[in-house]
Amino acid sequence: MSILSRYLGREALAGSIAAALVLTFLGLTGRLVRYLEEAANGTLAPELVFAIVAGRVPGVLQIVLPLALFLGVLLMVGRLYADQEAAALRAAGFGRRHLARTLAFPVFIVFAATLGLSLYVSPKTAEWVQRQVETGRQVAGIAGLSPQQFQSIGDQAVFYASDALDDGRMEDVFVYQSGPLDTVFKAEFAFQQQDSESGQRFLVLQQGQRWRGDVQRLDWERLDFKEYMVRLELPDLRQGPLKVEALQTEDLLAGGNREQAQLHWRIALALMVPIGALLAMAMGPVAPRSGRWTKFLPGVLLFIVYFGLVNYVHSQMIDGKLPMLAGIWPVHLFMFCVAQGLSWQNRRRGLA
């Protein structure tokens, strides 16, 4: 029995890991597309895009892991019943309680990982991501500008280029700077350069002319150059207040409704792991000669209802419409009762 238990536990854990990888990839794809769009529009530094997406991984994993374990257990139990292995195991004395003890170790691993992510790792990475996004939007510069459209470089210049070259330079460039004297640049090429010591950014123009003067007086002076560096004045790197998901867990205790509801939310994500495993064990059994995927769609829909209820109660707590003392516990209790009801129905049908 010990060998069988280890085998079933490993199968459930392996299925959970595979589901977690797929779900994490899907969860990050939308954010990657959004950040790439911001980088293309010049509002986010392109070199920070993939680092920021990587920083989002813990925040996605804390939501994905409960669902991944649910799917891993659901498919494992479904395979046992579809291949008639469950009937043989029951005849040998391996019942539902033995299966629950078999799954205790993988459930504990996923529970501990989810709790650690939601309470400690995810808030720290969320804070880092927020600061990186703020900095990346402030220092975006020309690196994210696109050709064939007029775009602003901060509040100090208007930029236009006819084409982008493979080496990172822009071709046929026009730059306009307003000030006491208006300045117009026309250059064959342009690229951005950053000083390694000071961090100051420059727009380097090559093979062009500079005109400076007063539009009202029509008094302009012209300068031809081979290379001209335009200093890009960056805005003050002011940091805004942290979002609630970026606050450390200990800081949530002294906060208001939003902060305390966030604390309940973080704990609820971890509690969804054991409750989800019980739901999967109750949903998994299928009738003889049925496929292991028979209960997949109903199971996913049930877990979506579970997650939706947690979200709904969380939002009601933020609005002060539900007491903080009860938290999200009633939702977990309700889904536990659903799991017990499904198990009772399976016993009546002879499937457990």
Side-chain angles (χ1 to χ4, degrees):
M1 285 295 182
S2 61
I3 297 176
L4 176 63
S5 298
R6 287 197 297 268
Y7 169 72
L8 294 178
R10 290 172 182 173
E11 182 179 358
L13 192 58
S16 302
I17 293 174
L21 291 175
V22 174
L23 294 171
T24 301
F25 173 78
L26 295 176
L28 292 175
T29 300
R31 294 189 180 274
L32 176 61
V33 171
R34 192 186 77 184
Y35 290 137
L36 287 175
E37 183 179 358
E38 289 191 28
N41 293 332
T43 57
L44 181 65
E47 63 269 18
L48 294 176
V49 170
F50 289 100
I52 291 174
V53 172
R56 292 288 189 184
V57 171
V60 175
L61 273 178
Q62 66 178 355
I63 298 175
V64 162
L65 285 179
L67 175 58
L69 180 70
F70 173 82
L71 294 178
V73 174
L74 182 70
L75 293 178
M76 185 271 289
V77 174
R79 186 192 65 78
L80 289 178
Y81 280 83
D83 296 344
Q84 305 293 328
E85 295 178 7
L89 290 174
R90 288 202 306 273
F94 190 90
R96 186 171 181 272
R97 291 183 180 179
H98 294 85
L99 181 60
R101 286 198 292 267
T102 296
L103 295 176
F105 182 65
V107 168
F108 174 76
I109 291 178
V110 179
F111 172 80
T114 305
L115 189 64
L117 285 171
S118 61
L119 292 183
Y120 303 106
V121 181
S122 182
K124 291 184 180 297
T125 56
E127 178 183 1
W128 181 84
V129 166
Q130 181 177 337
R131 298 312 186 200
Q132 291 298 311
V133 170
E134 290 173 350
T135 303
R137 287 172 177 167
Q138 289 166 332
V139 301
I142 192 178
L145 297 179
S146 303
Q148 298 184 2
Q149 56 181 320
F150 287 93
Q151 294 174 272
S152 297
I153 303 178
D155 297 326
Q156 56 187 309
V158 176
F159 176 89
Y160 178 87
S162 62
D163 199 6
L165 303 180
D166 294 336
D167 60 5
R169 295 185 299 171
M170 294 287 188
E171 186 178 25
D172 194 12
V173 175
F174 167 87
V175 179
Y176 168 76
Q177 286 183 308
S178 60
L181 292 178
D182 293 323
T183 305
V184 178
F185 295 93
K186 178 69 172 64
E188 293 186 15
F189 305 103
F191 63 93
Q192 184 178 246
Q193 180 174 296
Q194 183 175 11
D195 184 76
S196 58
E197 296 182 359
S198 65
Q200 177 63 53
R201 293 181 178 239
F202 297 91
L203 177 62
V204 182
L205 304 173
Q206 296 177 321
Q207 305 296 332
Q209 302 85 37
R210 184 202 71 183
W211 290 272
R212 177 174 291 171
D214 189 339
V215 177
Q216 302 297 329
R217 298 173 52 187
L218 299 179
D219 182 15
W220 293 78
E221 63 177 24
R222 168 175 168 165
L223 172 68
D224 294 315
F225 57 84
K226 290 185 178 180
E227 188 170 277
Y228 194 102
M229 300 178 70
V230 180
R231 182 177 179 179
L232 299 177
E233 296 293 341
L234 300 178
D236 294 335
L237 300 180
R238 298 189 187 128
Q239 296 182 338
L242 287 175
K243 298 178 180 178
V244 67
E245 59 266 20
L247 293 174
Q248 301 306 306
T249 299
E250 55 270 20
D251 297 331
L252 298 177
L253 295 172
N257 286 352
R258 181 175 295 274
E259 288 74 20
Q260 294 187 37
Q262 179 68 18
L263 178 61
H264 283 277
W265 160 258
R266 294 178 184 180
I267 298 174
L269 290 176
L271 290 176
M272 290 177 71
V273 173
I275 302 298
L278 290 176
L279 286 171
M281 289 177 57
M283 285 287 297
V286 296
R289 295 179 296 277
S290 298
R292 63 182 295 188
W293 297 89
T294 303
K295 296 293 185 67
F296 180 80
L297 183 57
V300 171
L301 292 177
L302 178 62
F303 197 89
I304 290 175
V305 171
Y306 186 10
F307 191 77
L309 287 174
V310 170
N311 267 329
Y312 174 76
V313 173
H314 175 233
S315 64
Q316 294 298 301
M317 291 169 65
I318 292 176
D319 295 337
K321 297 179 180 179
L322 289 177
M324 290 292 170
L325 183 61
I328 309 179
W329 287 96
V331 177
H332 299 304
L333 180 60
F334 171 73
M335 298 309 295
F336 176 80
C337 293
V338 171
Q340 295 304 310
L342 291 173
S343 298
W344 177 77
Q345 187 178 25
N346 289 332
R347 288 193 294 270
R348 285 190 57 192
R349 297 167 57 194
L351 296 177

